[in-house]
């Protein structure tokens, strides 16, 4: 009968890559109940206590049936049934107005929680800790409550992690105030919460062609700090058309008044992509840092773009980021004083060339080689155009600077293009002359 219980929980929680199917879970629990398996009473009692409203099954809440199942289960020593009875007494106590009656109910709940906790039930351990923390039905013992919460947390209780996180924020029950500990506990709750349902529904929607619905589910999972959901959401946002996506952005102008602006579809998507990319970049995602650098580059914020590319290229960084850094240093975009830094540009481009095999585009090697040729050409033009003779600038230097002024800071690019055009014309002319000679 243990196998029936295992199968029941497998279908109930979707374990071992099995889809959630509450109806099958109930059938397996009922089979175990027919054989008088103690754990079946607690499992079914919890389902009837809360009710089920799921695609795979509809089970109306039936507190009276749940109470009877818990009573039968506790007689057989089932920890979940003992915890269930404790919950009934604690809940009924909160509905009473007389303090003396409340204390009696909480005291009875504490007895059941204690028995269940001694048998290793994590939920009961957490519930007992809450009673001791607030002094309900028993003496107020914050230190013992903290110890019980830590035990329950070690057994996988998300509620215990949540409570420890809250205590760490304010500092209480013997817990020192620590934002780092609070973040650790609360992130544990997010990581192990019921986000798998959102991922499953998002994947099913994406496969079915409903990209907008898939995006919504992935965004919900993102709010629970699931890295894979963030990557999938960005994939949809960057690569697929979305229908009917509109976002209302509220801008706080002051405490007393606020104005709202309905963004266009393009603006809404751009803002959503930027928000998701920023979150991924803050967690060290190199690809996100690269995209963020591209965003700032397009907006003309070269200093921030350069910083993003530098973070993306750190260590075993992305070759695209190295190439972009070389390009920006070559043209002095975002550099100190806006001056070209040819030596740094050469170093970045050489590193990008070494890692060009990591770029999916097969032309990357030739792109980097072309950039190195352009860098060499720009260096020598820059050298001769900015060289000042010992006796001071000559009339020829002044005429040269006057000649290039109409072309702006990228005058050497114009010259490079002109030189290439002349070389191409000479090559065509040479071929034509060769044809004439052969005739």
């Amino acid at each position: 009968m243990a196998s029936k219980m295992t199968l029941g929980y497998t279908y109930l929680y979707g374990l071992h890559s099995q889809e959630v199917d509450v109806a099958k879970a109930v059938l397996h629990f009922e089979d175990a109940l027919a054989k008088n398996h103690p754990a079946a009473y607690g499992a079914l009692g919890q389902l009837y206590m809360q009710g089920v409203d799921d695609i795979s099954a509809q089970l109306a809440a039936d507190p009276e049936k749940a109470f009877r199942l818990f009573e039968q289960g506790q007689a057989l020593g089932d920890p979940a049934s003992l915890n269930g009875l404790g919950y009934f007494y604690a809940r009924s106590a909160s509905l009473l107005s007389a303090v003396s009656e409340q204390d009696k109910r909480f005291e009875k709940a504490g007895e059941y929680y204690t028995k269940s906790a001694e048998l290793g039930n994590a939920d009961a351990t957490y519930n007992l800790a809450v009673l001791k923390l607030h002094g309900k039905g028993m003496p107020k013992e914050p230190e013992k409550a903290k110890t019980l919460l830590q035990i329950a947390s070690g057994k996988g209780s998300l509620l215990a992690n949540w409570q420890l996180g809250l205590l760490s924020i304010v500092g209480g029950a013997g817990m020192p105030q620590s934002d780092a500990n609070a973040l650790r506990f609360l992130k544990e709750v997010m990581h192990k919460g019921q986000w798998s349902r959102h991922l499953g529904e998002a994947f099913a929607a994406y496969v079915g062609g409903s990209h907008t619905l898939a995006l919504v589910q992935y965004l919900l999972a993102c709010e629970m700090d699931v890295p894979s959901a963030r990557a999938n959401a960005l994939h949809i946002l960057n690569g697929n058309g979305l229908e009917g996506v509109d976002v209302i952005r509220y801008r706080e102008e002051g405490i007393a008044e606020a104005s709202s602006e309905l963004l266009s579809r393009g603006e809404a998507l751009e803002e959503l992509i930027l928000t998701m990319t920023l979150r991924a970049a803050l967690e060290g995602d190199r690809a996100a840092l690269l995209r963020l650098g591209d965003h700032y580059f397009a907006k003309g914020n070269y200093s921030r773009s350069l910083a993003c590319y530098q973070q993306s290229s750190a260590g075993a960084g992305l070759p695209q980021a190295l190439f972009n850094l070389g390009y920006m240093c070559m043209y002095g975009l975002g550099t100190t004083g806006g001056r070209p830094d040819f030596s740094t540009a050469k170093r970045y481009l050489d590193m990008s060339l070494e890692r060009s095999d990591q770029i999916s585009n097969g032309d990357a090697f030739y792109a980097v080689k072309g950039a190195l040729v352009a860098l060499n050409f720009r260096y020598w033009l820059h050298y001769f155009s900015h060289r000042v003779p010992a006796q001071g600038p000559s009339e020829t230097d002044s005429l040269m600077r006057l000649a290039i002024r109409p072309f702006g800071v990228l005058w050497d690019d114009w010259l490079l293009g002109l030189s290439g055009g002349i070389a191409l014309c000479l090559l065509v002319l040479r071929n034509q002359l060769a044809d004439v000679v052969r005739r």
Side-chain angles (χ1 to χ4, degrees):
M1 284 302 101
S3 61
K4 286 290 184 182
M5 294 301 302
T6 301
L7 285 171
Y9 282 116
T10 298
Y11 284 112
L12 183 62
Y13 297 114
L15 306 176
H16 310 299
S17 303
Q18 179 65 53
E19 291 186 6
V20 173
D21 193 327
V22 179
K24 288 185 179 180
V26 171
L27 288 176
H28 285 296
F29 289 149
E30 288 178 343
D31 286 345
L33 184 67
K35 301 295 183 181
N36 205 35
H37 193 289
Y41 291 94
L44 282 171
Q46 288 177 334
L47 289 174
Y48 281 109
M49 180 174 64
Q50 300 172 355
V52 176
D53 185 10
D54 190 80
I55 297 175
S56 62
Q58 298 289 326
L59 188 67
D62 190 342
E64 292 183 2
K65 185 173 183 177
F67 188 81
R68 290 196 301 270
L69 287 166
F70 286 148
E71 280 194 319
Q72 292 174 287
Q74 68 89 21
L76 299 174
D78 173 46
S81 296
L82 287 163
N83 178 63
L85 286 175
Y87 170 79
F88 269 107
Y89 278 102
R91 189 179 67 172
S92 64
S94 63
L95 299 176
L96 298 174
S97 57
V99 177
S100 59
E101 289 298 319
Q102 283 186 355
D103 288 340
K104 289 180 182 179
R105 296 290 179 93
F106 277 125
E107 185 177 352
K108 191 68 175 178
E111 293 176 4
Y112 283 118
Y113 287 151
T114 301
K115 291 178 182 178
S116 181
E118 290 173 351
L119 293 173
N121 187 276
D123 292 333
T125 305
Y126 165 77
N127 292 332
L128 182 61
V130 172
L131 292 185
K132 288 184 177 294
L133 185 63
H134 298 286
K136 297 293 186 178
M138 55 185 63
K140 192 173 184 178
E141 298 176 295
E143 286 290 341
K144 287 187 177 180
K146 180 192 75 171
T147 302
L148 288 170
L149 287 172
Q150 291 171 336
I151 293 172
S153 173
K155 293 179 179 180
S157 171
L158 295 181
L159 285 173
N161 281 315
W162 171 73
Q163 191 70 251
L164 287 168
L166 295 183
L167 291 173
S168 297
I169 292 174
V170 298
M175 294 284 292
Q177 195 283 327
S178 171
D179 292 339
N181 285 338
L183 184 62
R184 177 169 60 86
F185 285 123
L186 295 177
K187 286 191 76 171
E188 188 75 11
V189 176
M190 289 190 294
H191 288 158
K192 293 184 179 179
Q194 295 297 321
W195 48 262
S196 58
R197 177 176 63 86
H198 294 301
L199 290 182
E201 292 180 0
F203 181 74
Y206 183 81
V207 172
S210 181
H211 294 159
T212 303
L213 179 58
L215 175 64
V216 170
Q217 293 296 337
Y218 280 131
L219 290 176
L220 287 172
C222 285
E223 294 304 314
M224 301 176 186
D225 203 34
V226 183
S228 60
R230 186 179 298 113
N232 289 330
L234 280 171
H235 171 74
I236 294 175
L237 287 168
N238 287 317
N240 295 282
L242 298 173
E243 297 298 330
V245 178
D246 291 308
V247 176
I248 295 180
R249 177 180 60 193
Y250 292 97
R251 292 193 306 224
E252 294 288 343
E253 303 293 345
I255 297 178
E257 59 178 358
S259 64
S260 65
E261 176 186 354
L262 179 62
L263 302 178
S264 69
R265 180 177 176 276
E267 290 173 330
L269 286 176
E270 182 181 356
E271 187 159 310
L272 183 56
I273 291 172
L274 179 59
T275 300
M276 299 300 298
T277 305
L278 276 168
R279 289 187 179 186
L282 287 172
E283 295 198 355
D285 187 325
R286 295 184 188 277
L289 283 165
L290 178 65
R291 288 193 296 269
L292 198 58
D294 293 341
H295 169 78
Y296 287 127
F297 187 89
K299 296 293 184 182
N301 192 339
Y302 298 128
S303 59
R304 297 192 73 174
S305 176
L306 190 71
C308 290
Y309 289 147
Q310 287 172 337
Q311 292 183 58
S312 181
S313 66
L318 298 177
Q320 295 97 323
L322 292 166
F323 178 85
N324 293 345
L325 283 169
Y327 178 87
M328 294 185 72
C329 289
M330 185 183 357
Y331 288 99
L333 302 175
T335 58
T336 304
R339 294 186 297 273
D341 188 344
F342 296 112
S343 59
T344 304
K346 176 73 164 57
R347 178 166 56 85
Y348 281 131
L349 290 174
D350 285 341
M351 292 171 64
S352 178
L353 187 63
E354 292 172 1
R355 302 176 192 175
S356 60
D357 58 330
Q358 301 176 19
I359 306 177
S360 58
N361 184 357
D363 297 329
F365 175 84
Y366 301 103
V368 180
K369 278 290 189 181
L372 284 168
V373 172
L375 173 66
N376 189 54
F377 190 81
R378 285 184 62 87
Y379 170 77
W380 287 111
L381 285 176
H382 185 273
Y383 174 78
F384 287 113
S385 63
H386 289 76
R387 185 169 60 89
V388 179
Q391 67 274 19
S394 65
E395 184 178 351
T396 305
D397 292 327
S398 300
L399 288 174
M400 184 177 180
R401 294 180 187 279
L402 184 63
I404 66 174
R405 184 176 298 170
F407 299 99
V409 294
L410 300 181
W411 63 269
D412 42 358
D413 282 344
W414 287 94
L415 183 57
L416 181 61
L418 179 61
S419 302
I422 294 172
L424 182 61
C425 291
L426 290 173
L427 182 62
V428 172
L429 182 61
R430 176 181 175 277
N431 290 338
Q432 289 179 348
L433 290 173
D435 291 339
V436 171
V437 170
R438 280 196 294 269
R439 292 196 191 102

